[in-house]
Short mmCIF file of all heavy atoms in Angstrom, two decimals:
data_model
loop_
_atom_site.label_atom_id
_atom_site.label_comp_id
_atom_site.label_asym_id
_atom_site.label_seq_id
_atom_site.Cartn_x
_atom_site.Cartn_y
_atom_site.Cartn_z
N HIS A 215 27.45 17.65 -22.08
CA HIS A 215 26.87 17.57 -23.34
C HIS A 215 27.08 16.32 -23.96
O HIS A 215 28.35 15.94 -24.19
CB HIS A 215 27.36 18.76 -24.18
CG HIS A 215 26.81 18.76 -25.58
ND1 HIS A 215 25.40 18.97 -25.86
CD2 HIS A 215 27.44 18.58 -26.72
CE1 HIS A 215 25.16 18.92 -27.13
NE2 HIS A 215 26.40 18.68 -27.82
N VAL A 216 26.10 15.60 -24.37
CA VAL A 216 26.20 14.23 -25.07
C VAL A 216 26.32 14.51 -26.61
O VAL A 216 25.31 14.99 -27.12
CB VAL A 216 25.00 13.31 -24.78
CG1 VAL A 216 25.20 11.98 -25.46
CG2 VAL A 216 24.85 13.08 -23.28
N VAL A 217 27.46 14.15 -27.07
CA VAL A 217 27.67 14.27 -28.61
C VAL A 217 26.97 13.01 -29.37
O VAL A 217 26.39 13.33 -30.41
CB VAL A 217 29.15 14.20 -28.88
CG1 VAL A 217 29.44 14.39 -30.36
CG2 VAL A 217 29.87 15.50 -28.18
N LYS A 218 27.16 11.80 -28.79
CA LYS A 218 26.59 10.78 -29.56
C LYS A 218 25.72 10.03 -28.73
O LYS A 218 26.07 9.50 -27.56
CB LYS A 218 27.84 9.70 -29.96
CG LYS A 218 27.40 8.57 -30.78
CD LYS A 218 28.58 7.75 -31.15
CE LYS A 218 28.22 6.59 -32.04
NZ LYS A 218 29.25 5.67 -32.43
N LYS A 219 24.49 9.98 -29.05
CA LYS A 219 23.34 9.29 -28.39
C LYS A 219 22.70 8.09 -29.00
O LYS A 219 22.50 8.10 -30.24
CB LYS A 219 22.21 10.35 -28.16
CG LYS A 219 21.05 9.91 -27.40
CD LYS A 219 19.92 10.95 -27.34
CE LYS A 219 20.20 12.11 -26.66
NZ LYS A 219 19.06 13.00 -26.53
N ILE A 220 22.66 7.07 -28.28
CA ILE A 220 21.94 5.79 -28.83
C ILE A 220 20.69 5.56 -27.98
O ILE A 220 20.79 5.66 -26.79
CB ILE A 220 22.93 4.58 -28.69
CG1 ILE A 220 24.13 4.82 -29.48
CG2 ILE A 220 22.19 3.32 -29.16
CD1 ILE A 220 25.23 3.82 -29.37
N GLU A 221 19.56 5.36 -28.60
CA GLU A 221 18.40 5.09 -27.91
C GLU A 221 17.76 3.72 -28.14
O GLU A 221 17.60 3.21 -29.19
CB GLU A 221 17.39 6.17 -28.39
CG GLU A 221 16.04 6.20 -27.69
CD GLU A 221 15.31 7.47 -28.14
OE1 GLU A 221 15.59 8.60 -27.99
OE2 GLU A 221 14.17 7.12 -28.82
N LEU A 222 17.49 3.10 -27.00
CA LEU A 222 17.00 1.66 -27.06
C LEU A 222 15.70 1.60 -26.16
O LEU A 222 15.53 2.40 -25.26
CB LEU A 222 18.06 0.64 -26.54
CG LEU A 222 19.34 0.64 -27.37
CD1 LEU A 222 20.30 -0.31 -26.80
CD2 LEU A 222 18.96 0.20 -28.87
N MET A 223 14.93 0.49 -26.44
CA MET A 223 13.55 0.48 -25.84
C MET A 223 13.46 -0.31 -24.57
O MET A 223 12.38 -0.38 -24.09
CB MET A 223 12.64 -0.03 -26.95
CG MET A 223 12.48 0.83 -28.17
SD MET A 223 11.78 2.49 -27.84
CE MET A 223 10.16 2.01 -27.42
N SER A 224 14.51 -0.97 -24.14
CA SER A 224 14.33 -1.69 -22.93
C SER A 224 15.56 -1.75 -22.14
O SER A 224 16.69 -1.53 -22.71
CB SER A 224 13.92 -3.14 -23.22
OG SER A 224 14.98 -3.90 -23.74
N ASN A 225 15.47 -1.95 -20.83
CA ASN A 225 16.62 -2.11 -19.99
C ASN A 225 17.62 -3.15 -20.35
O ASN A 225 18.78 -3.02 -20.40
CB ASN A 225 16.20 -2.26 -18.56
CG ASN A 225 17.30 -2.04 -17.49
OD1 ASN A 225 17.72 -0.81 -17.41
ND2 ASN A 225 17.82 -3.05 -16.81
N GLU A 226 17.02 -4.30 -20.76
CA GLU A 226 17.79 -5.42 -21.18
C GLU A 226 18.61 -5.15 -22.43
O GLU A 226 19.74 -5.46 -22.71
CB GLU A 226 16.88 -6.67 -21.41
CG GLU A 226 17.60 -7.94 -21.60
CD GLU A 226 18.39 -8.41 -20.38
OE1 GLU A 226 17.97 -8.10 -19.21
OE2 GLU A 226 19.54 -9.08 -20.56
N ALA A 227 17.93 -4.42 -23.31
CA ALA A 227 18.65 -4.00 -24.57
C ALA A 227 19.85 -3.03 -24.35
O ALA A 227 20.80 -3.15 -24.92
CB ALA A 227 17.66 -3.34 -25.67
N VAL A 228 19.56 -2.14 -23.42
CA VAL A 228 20.61 -1.28 -23.07
C VAL A 228 21.79 -1.99 -22.48
O VAL A 228 23.01 -1.76 -22.81
CB VAL A 228 20.17 -0.16 -22.02
CG1 VAL A 228 21.38 0.72 -21.56
CG2 VAL A 228 19.03 0.78 -22.71
#
Side-chain angles (χ1 to χ4, degrees):
H215 177 65
V216 178
V217 176
K218 185 175 181 180
K219 179 187 295 185
I220 301 172
E221 189 175 290
L222 299 176
M223 295 297 292
S224 73
N225 194 66
E226 191 63 29
V228 172

